[in-house]
């Protein structure tokens, strides 16, 4: 468990929290870059490339963002990504995200990307990675945001497709740090990709997987035990299995929780019903992230501020812990983590002194 620094968290009034949540440095560990594609950019790229969209305009597209579950979102999300054709498109999408992240005081971001969404449309993985890695380099240089890429396998597709994706991406191995597993969770358990993950492990890639978003706690267990992942993306359904909650706390397995996503996809009825505070209080290593911010109504700071507004039991200490967890659970180097955590400590010390 993280030992907290000697800061007078209790002195910080609740009224100071929204500004503090925005100002504190943080890492974002659960962000699908295709999910940052705003309707305006979708329409601009569609026009540029002569791609026909089944929506009249930006407003009509936004109106379609009323989801009933994960699948209803994924159908629109994959359609939106159909305007991404050239490396410059991927770079523009990622730069737009990095500018928002910098404004939200994100110091480090680990971005998911879905090669199969693009290769299935005839866009080579080289194009995808060229555009995204170009933006990663520019983010560091132009915005001071550190970033890395995590290649995700679409779990509704088969093992052979995942292996083919990995092989096609390996010539660009230096541009991604790990692999993840996303798309339709129910009926596609982690163990479907046991051999793919074993190979990725041999290659020295970091391993994460979505589990326990809509799927049962058993998927969290097999992600840990069969895939041997280092973090669980979402994981909120762990509460259905108290023994699993105890294990996640004992092993300090990071959960990349996405509150606004969970409400938009009806995992929780409303933000004030979210179990984030309960997970923190159970000692789990929880982080806050935005998932697909262009679709779910807010980037990472909105996820923090709206969650804290909806859950009055969340404290300044929780705010510190969430940001601290985001750095500790990242795959960044220890030296970078130490710098960011020192900055985080300074921000909270100043807030406590001012109170
Ligand atoms: N792909 C993009 N967002 C996702 C989510 N929340 N769950 C599963 N797959 C995704
Ligand atoms: Zn996700």
């Amino acid at each position: 468990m993280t030992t907290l620094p000697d800061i007078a968290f209790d002195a910080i009034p609740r009224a100071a929290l929204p500004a503090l949540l925005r100002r504190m440095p943080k890492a974002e560990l659960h962000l699908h870059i295709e999910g940052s594609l705003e309707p305006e950019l979708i329409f601009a790229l569609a026009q540029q490339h002569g791609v026909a969209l089944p929506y009249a305009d930006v407003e009509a597209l936004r109106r379609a963002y009323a989801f009933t579950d994960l699948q209803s979102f994924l159908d629109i999300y994959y359609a939106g990504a159909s305007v991404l054709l050239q490396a410059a498109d991927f770079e523009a999408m990622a730069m737009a995200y990095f500018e928002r992240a910098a404004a939200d005081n994100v110091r480090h971001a680990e971005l998911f990307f879905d090669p199969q969404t693009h290769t299935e449309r005839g866009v080579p993985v080289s194009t995808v990675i060229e555009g995204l890695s170009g933006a990663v380099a520019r983010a560091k240089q132009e915005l001071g945001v550190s970033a890395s890429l995590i290649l995700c396998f679409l779990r509704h597709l088969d093992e052979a497709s995942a292996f083919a994706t990995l092989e096609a991406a390996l010539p660009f191995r230096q541009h991604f740090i790990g692999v993840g597993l996303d798309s339709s969770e129910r009926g596609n358990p982690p163990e479907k990709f046991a051999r793919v993950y074993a190979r990725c492990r041999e290659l020295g890639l970091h391993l994460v997987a979505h589990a326990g978003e809509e799927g049962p706690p058993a998927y969290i267990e097999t992600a840990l035990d069969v895939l041997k992942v280092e973090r669980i993306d979402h994981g909120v359904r762990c509460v259905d299995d108290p023994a699993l909650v105890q294990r996640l706390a004992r092993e300090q397995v990071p959960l990349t929780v996405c509150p606004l996503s969970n409400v938009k996809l009806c995992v929780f009825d409303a933000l004030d019903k979210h179990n984030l505070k309960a997970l923190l209080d159970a000692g789990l290593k929880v982080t806050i992230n935005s998932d697909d911010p262009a679709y779910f109504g807010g980037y990472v700071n909105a996820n923090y501020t709206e969650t804290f507004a909806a859950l009055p039991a969340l404290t300044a200490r929780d705010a510190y812990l969430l940001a601290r967890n985001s750095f500790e659970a990242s795959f960044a180097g220890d030296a970078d983590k130490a710098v960011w955590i020192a900055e985080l400590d300074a921000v909270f010390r100043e807030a406590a002194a001012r109170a």
Side-chain angles (χ1 to χ4, degrees), residues 45 134 171 243:
L45 291 174

Side-chain angles (χ1 to χ4, degrees), residues 5-9 11-13 16 19-20 23-25 316 320 341-355:
D6 185 17
I7 293 172
F9 293 108
I12 301 173
L20 185 56
R23 191 160 124 256
M24 67 183 187
Y320 174 89
I341 291 170
E343 188 195 351
L344 177 67
D345 288 2
V347 166
F348 274 79
R349 267 189 222 292
E350 188 199 286
R354 215 179 315 126

Side-chain angles (χ1 to χ4, degrees), residues 233-300:
D233 296 312
H234 294 294
V236 291
R237 289 204 52 203
C238 67
V239 292
D240 297 344
D241 179 348
L244 176 61
V245 172
Q246 281 183 6
R247 174 188 178 182
L248 294 172
R250 193 173 57 244
E251 298 179 9
Q252 287 292 281
V253 177
L255 300 189
T256 63
V257 175
C258 307
L260 291 179
S261 163
N262 291 154
V263 174
K264 272 284 189 181
L265 301 188
C266 307
V267 173
F268 295 94
D269 292 340
L271 212 43
D272 61 4
K273 304 285 189 302
H274 201 286
N275 64 11
L276 181 129
K277 175 64 176 163
L279 296 174
L280 274 177
D281 287 351
L284 274 65
K285 200 171 188 73
V286 176
T287 65
I288 284 188
N289 308 271
S290 67
D291 207 6
D292 301 283
Y295 293 89
F296 299 153
Y299 285 75
V300 72

Side-chain angles (χ1 to χ4, degrees), residues 130-215:
E130 184 196 330
L132 295 180
S133 62
V136 164
R138 285 181 59 197
K140 184 81 203 161
Q141 220 164 35
E142 297 172 20
L143 302 165
V145 175
S146 151
S148 345
L149 299 174
I150 296 179
L151 181 160
C152 283
F153 301 112
L154 298 183
R155 68 201 304 158
H156 68 275
L157 300 179
D158 62 17
E159 181 197 49
S161 177
F163 265 125
T165 303
L166 179 63
E167 284 309 313
L170 280 182
F172 313 98
R173 167 72 182 83
Q174 75 273 21
H175 292 302
F176 57 98
I177 60 162
V179 296
L181 187 63
D182 63 4
S183 190
S184 321
E185 185 182 8
R186 278 192 290 231
N188 293 297
E191 50 272 32
K192 182 175 164 184
F193 298 93
R195 296 193 300 181
V196 180
Y197 269 66
R199 176 77 186 117
C200 292
R201 202 157 166 246
E202 282 171 7
L203 290 165
L205 287 158
H206 284 294
L207 309 175
V208 301
H210 284 53
E213 178 185 16
E214 284 188 344

